[in-house]
Amino acid sequence: MEAQESTIETGAHPEGSLGQIKVNHTVVSTIVKMAAINVSGVLAVGGSFVENFIAQISSKESDKGVRVSEDEAGNYQIEIRVLMEYGVELAKTAETLQMIVAKQVTNMTGKPVANVDVIIEGVKMAEEEEPEDNDSEE
Amino acid sequence: MPEFIQQANDFVGNLPPIVIVGILAVLLLLIIGLRSILKSPPSRLIAFSSDSGSVLVSRKALQDLIRQTCLKDGWVEAARPIVKIDGEKINTTVTLRLSSPENLKETTKRLQTRISGLLQKSLSFDQIGPIELMVTSFGKQDVDEPVVLDPEPDASADLTTTLSPKKPVSEDPDEIRKTERETKV
């Protein structure tokens, strides 16, 4: 069975005196998710129905909607699927998302991000506040 | 258990070769079909691409966007957009149900402009294909929120009647609708 490298060394000098620090890809995807949902205009992070189903089967709940890999140089390559709010400028929001995710991941892991691919999977209206139900059903 | 296997073996052995080949062919096609469904990436359009990554928009997102845009219009009761991605171009067909046949031309023109503008503004698409709008039906006006004509006496003269989403002055919406039809005729 093919063993997939799911961690990446952090820090500019991995040969430090105290040893290496490795960050699991699941951690990175969690960082990506948390950064993404704080971007204005992004409603949710998640893939299509089939992908979410497969993610659930493979017990990779935290990876749902986010794919993290690394290039030959060891930099992160991130793919994120999002649901955006109706009315926002999708292109601008996606660009902001790219920047924020890259910045956040670099800040928290110390490793550079090669690219962030954003896939807009859907557009939805932001949930409106439910009106108070004063009518009694009698 | 061995008896069962023996029976199965006999059954398969008695089948004519053409049937066995047929069953295998069907199984093969089923596997290929399932594999292509699961493997094929969903159709997406590249909105833009740069060194820091690319932004792709799925067909579903485009359909959601168009549907919401249509439903924002007061005269649209239902919208079913179909987006086909042909290379780097999108062809859009929207099936609409309007609340009333009045202002049909204006409504469809307005929707076309809005959809086109929104796609260009939101996604920077240079290659937006044709946007076809098909009005297939006119919805029944609900009694709770009817869409009626303003009772203007001169409206029938120039045939440019004004629609208003207000509640009717009269209490019987059926009567108002009947009057409208007569006025139009």
Side-chain angles (χ1 to χ4, degrees):
Chain A
M1 201 169 173
E2 190 184 347
Q4 195 178 357
E5 181 72 32
S6 62
T7 57
I8 189 166
E9 292 169 5
T10 63
H13 303 287
E15 294 172 3
S17 57
L18 296 176
Q20 296 174 351
I21 298 170
K22 291 184 176 182
V23 179
N24 197 297
H25 283 180
T26 313
V27 176
V28 180
S29 73
T30 307
I31 295 168
V32 171
K33 268 189 177 181
M34 288 173 77
I37 55 171
N38 284 322
V39 174
S40 175
V42 176
L43 285 181
V45 177
S48 63
F49 175 76
V50 176
E51 283 162 343
N52 289 346
F53 181 70
I54 290 167
Q56 279 189 346
I57 288 171
S58 63
S59 70
K60 286 185 176 178
E61 182 65 25
S62 57
D63 291 353
K64 208 160 71 176
V66 181
R67 242 181 237 171
V68 180
S69 59
E70 64 254 37
D71 61 9
E72 290 172 357
N75 301 328
Y76 286 124
Q77 289 180 315
I78 296 165
E79 185 186 283
I80 179 168
R81 293 168 163 77
V82 290
L83 204 68
M84 286 202 181
E85 186 183 337
Y86 175 80
V88 298
E89 284 190 38
L90 300 183
K92 271 190 181 177
T93 310
E95 208 175 354
T96 311
L97 179 64
Q98 281 181 323
M99 285 194 299
I100 288 176
V101 165
K103 192 179 168 189
Q104 195 70 16
V105 171
T106 308
N107 281 348
M108 292 185 75
T109 63
K111 282 296 254 185
V113 175
N115 55 43
V116 180
D117 292 337
V118 178
I119 300 170
I120 303 166
E121 289 282 6
V123 176
K124 271 194 175 178
M125 297 287 275
E127 282 181 16
E128 292 169 4
E129 286 180 15
E130 288 182 9
E132 288 178 14
D133 195 11
N134 294 326
D135 300 335
S136 58
E137 294 176 8
E138 287 178 5
Chain B
M1 197 67 178
E3 283 178 18
F4 174 73
I5 293 168
Q6 186 63 37
Q7 279 175 357
N9 197 21
D10 291 343
F11 176 73
V12 174
N14 291 333
L15 283 175
I18 194 156
V19 174
I20 296 171
V21 170
I23 290 168
L24 287 176
V26 168
L27 279 174
L28 195 69
L29 284 175
L30 203 67
I31 290 165
I32 291 169
L34 277 173
R35 196 161 176 242
S36 65
I37 288 169
L38 292 172
K39 280 260 179 183
S40 63
S43 42
R44 292 172 186 139
L45 200 70
I46 297 173
F48 66 86
S49 191
S50 65
D51 293 338
S52 57
S54 52
V55 175
L56 296 97
V57 188
S58 73
R59 198 173 64 176
K60 188 183 166 292
L62 291 171
Q63 289 179 168
D64 287 347
L65 193 69
I66 293 166
R67 187 187 294 113
Q68 301 287 358
T69 306
C70 292
L71 291 176
K72 279 262 176 185
D73 195 288
W75 301 111
V76 179
E77 283 198 345
R80 193 165 64 89
I82 297 168
V83 174
K84 286 180 182 170
I85 298 175
D86 184 16
E88 289 183 2
K89 205 170 183 179
I90 57 165
N91 299 324
T92 313
T93 308
V94 190
T95 312
L96 295 167
R97 191 175 80 219
L98 301 183
S99 58
S100 165
E102 319 295 331
N103 277 349
L104 174 67
K105 202 175 174 183
E106 287 84 353
T107 307
T108 48
K109 266 193 175 179
R110 188 170 59 240
L111 285 174
Q112 250 179 344
T113 314
R114 274 188 197 167
I115 292 167
S116 174
L118 195 78
L119 289 175
Q120 283 171 355
K121 191 182 167 191
S122 292
L123 302 165
S124 315
F125 288 153
D126 296 326
Q127 294 171 312
I128 297 170
I131 299 166
E132 289 179 16
L133 300 181
M134 290 197 318
V135 180
T136 53
S137 61
F138 298 101
K140 290 173 187 171
Q141 292 170 334
D142 293 330
V143 180
D144 295 333
E145 277 188 51
V147 180
V148 295
L149 285 167
D150 283 335
E152 290 176 3
D154 293 332
S156 60
D158 56 358
L159 293 174
T160 53
T161 48
T162 314
L163 284 167
S164 157
K166 293 174 190 168
K167 290 202 172 189
V169 178
S170 167
E171 286 178 0
D172 187 6
D174 289 330
E175 200 175 305
I176 295 166
R177 258 179 264 139
K178 202 183 285 176
T179 316
E180 286 167 20
R181 284 194 202 108
E182 283 167 5
T183 310
K184 202 184 170 193
V185 170

